[in-house]
Amino acid sequence: METTYKAVEISAPRTFRLVERPVVKPGAGQVRIRVEACGVCHSDAGTIEGQFPGLSYPRVPGHEAIGRIDEIGPGVNTWKVGQRVGVGFFGGEDGTCEACRRGETAYCQNPIMTGITTDGGYAEMMIAEARALALIPDELKSEDAAPLVCAGITTFNALRNSGRAGDTVAIQGIGGLGHLGVQFARKMGFRTVAIGGGPDKEHLANKLGAHVYIDAKAKDAAAELQKLGGADVILATAPSGSAIGSLLPGLAPRGTLVVVGVSDDAIPLNGVPLIFGGRSVVGSLTGRAIETQDTLDFSVLAEVRPMIETLPLARAEEAYKRMMEGKARFRMVLTMT
Ligand SMILES: [Zn+2]
Ligand SMILES: [Zn+2]
């Protein structure tokens, strides 16, 4: 049995280093995972660019980790060695803050954040809290499962918590999040509208299951949505506050704009459509481990898969840059073998 494993750690902002680390034993309530694949997510920038307050280096990024349990720590009774599991952004709630005490563990105010407060999946091995694990269905390849434990649950949960079958649901942005959002929306039984920038995305949007495509560069997307009767739900995935704010008038009365894409600029909101129609703007952040498992199971049931590009672990920096430059079609995944 090996005594070391390879990991890509960030030693200072934007400095990637491939290192050998000693294998450690999982502590109480933890498992050690032999990682098979790890997705590269835009939020990894928090660690890699050093944006996250209180971050300490070196840190291994990566919160779309899929692998097999290799060893189990004391007190873990519900997981077995050999099971294939996934770990997402939320590495475990503290169980004691007010949000946790009210049962809202996905909104824990003091959570373990994989790849930020603890080492993540850009590695051949990682330690994870047993309570943060999702079981991976046999039908999913590890590379396909990886983006589903972050981008997947983010869009899946936001959609299933805001719409009902038959609703008109618009997905803004057809990228890493949006290409999954369109598939989920269609498979959940929504009248699915994809909003992209330019005519070139129309073919893809239709292939992913969109009933209607709106080119937001050529037309006013909100006005186009109103021609369809207004959207009951708009899922905003594009990282542009101004683009997100401009969609508000496209909602039907009592409709909801659900924001999952983080942007640097503020979201400008016009109070008139907000008030006259009782429209809402809400945020949604990933979800609990069991909801990640729901996402994976639904993806098998409804044949939803991410579109991915893979690179080996040693090329993590290249994968990250490709994602940040918007060149990935649509999610980068690191493979460990
Ligand atoms: Zn993520
Ligand atoms: Zn908490």
Side-chain angles (χ1 to χ4, degrees):
M1 159 136 194
E2 312 104 294
T3 53
T4 64
Y5 68 96
K6 288 189 176 59
V8 171
E9 58 178 37
I10 305 302
S11 53
R14 289 177 292 282
T15 308
F16 290 72
R17 206 162 58 178
L18 182 65
V19 294
E20 289 275 337
R21 292 181 160 207
V23 173
V24 293
K25 282 194 162 295
Q30 296 180 326
V31 301
R32 190 177 64 228
I33 298 168
R34 187 172 288 269
V35 181
E36 294 179 357
C38 184
V40 177
C41 178
H42 198 272
S43 312
D44 294 347
T47 301
I48 294 168
E49 315 284 333
Q51 296 159 344
F52 205 86
L55 191 69
S56 71
Y57 291 121
R59 179 61 75 218
V60 178
H63 60 256
E64 296 185 352
I66 311 295
R68 290 203 184 267
I69 297 177
D70 193 42
E71 191 171 336
I72 279 177
V76 176
N77 307 313
T78 50
W79 296 95
K80 289 196 239 32
V81 168
Q83 278 181 313
R84 202 162 51 119
V85 293
V87 191
F89 185 78
F90 272 112
E93 71 280 10
D94 67 356
T96 55
C97 74
E98 179 157 347
C100 284
R101 291 174 65 202
R102 294 190 187 281
E104 295 281 358
T105 52
Y107 292 96
C108 176
Q109 296 300 294
N110 185 36
I112 294 167
M113 286 177 275
T114 314
I116 296 175
T117 66
T118 187
D119 286 329
Y122 286 24
E124 291 173 334
M125 285 187 187
M126 68 177 283
I127 300 289
E129 300 295 319
R131 67 187 184 281
L133 300 178
L135 185 66
I136 309 297
D138 290 340
E139 293 87 342
L140 281 177
K141 286 192 244 165
S142 292
E143 304 91 277
D144 285 340
L148 293 174
V149 306
C150 181
I153 182 173
T154 296
T155 49
F156 176 82
N157 240 15
L159 288 168
R160 81 163 168 176
N161 293 336
S162 3
R164 295 183 305 171
D167 280 358
T168 297
V169 173
I171 314 294
Q172 176 226 18
I174 307 167
L177 288 165
H179 89 287
L180 288 166
V182 171
Q183 294 182 67
F184 284 133
R186 173 65 185 245
K187 295 292 172 69
M188 285 177 187
F190 302 138
R191 181 189 187 201
T192 303
V193 182
I195 302 173
D200 48 312
K201 291 275 177 83
E202 180 162 11
H203 177 73
L204 173 66
N206 293 339
K207 207 178 96 187
L208 293 169
H211 295 100
V212 180
Y213 178 75
I214 296 173
D215 175 359
K217 273 196 184 142
K219 288 176 173 167
D220 175 352
E224 293 302 306
L225 288 172
Q226 283 303 336
K227 284 185 198 164
L228 300 170
D232 299 294
V233 176
I234 300 173
L235 182 70
T237 76
S240 162
S242 57
I244 291 170
S246 73
L247 294 174
L248 181 72
L251 285 172
R254 309 299 287 158
T256 310
L257 175 59
V258 186
V259 181
V260 292
V262 179
S263 51
D264 294 331
D265 58 326
I267 302 172
L269 293 175
N270 184 333
V272 175
L274 195 65
I275 296 162
F276 290 85
R279 298 171 174 90
S280 315
V281 180
V282 301
S284 182
L285 176 66
T286 67
R288 308 160 209 236
I290 192 66
E291 293 169 321
T292 299
Q293 209 165 299
D294 293 344
T295 305
L296 296 161
D297 290 341
F298 184 82
S299 299
V300 170
L301 181 73
E303 296 175 337
V304 172
R305 293 292 184 277
M307 292 168 71
I308 60 167
E309 293 179 28
T310 60
L311 278 177
L313 174 65
R315 291 167 71 183
E317 183 169 8
E318 185 184 337
Y320 173 73
K321 284 188 173 149
R322 197 168 161 71
M323 180 274 302
M324 289 301 275
E325 287 162 7
K327 290 180 182 158
R329 290 292 173 269
F330 284 96
R331 299 291 288 192
M332 299 303 302
V333 178
L334 301 174
T335 54
M336 310 309 160
T337 44

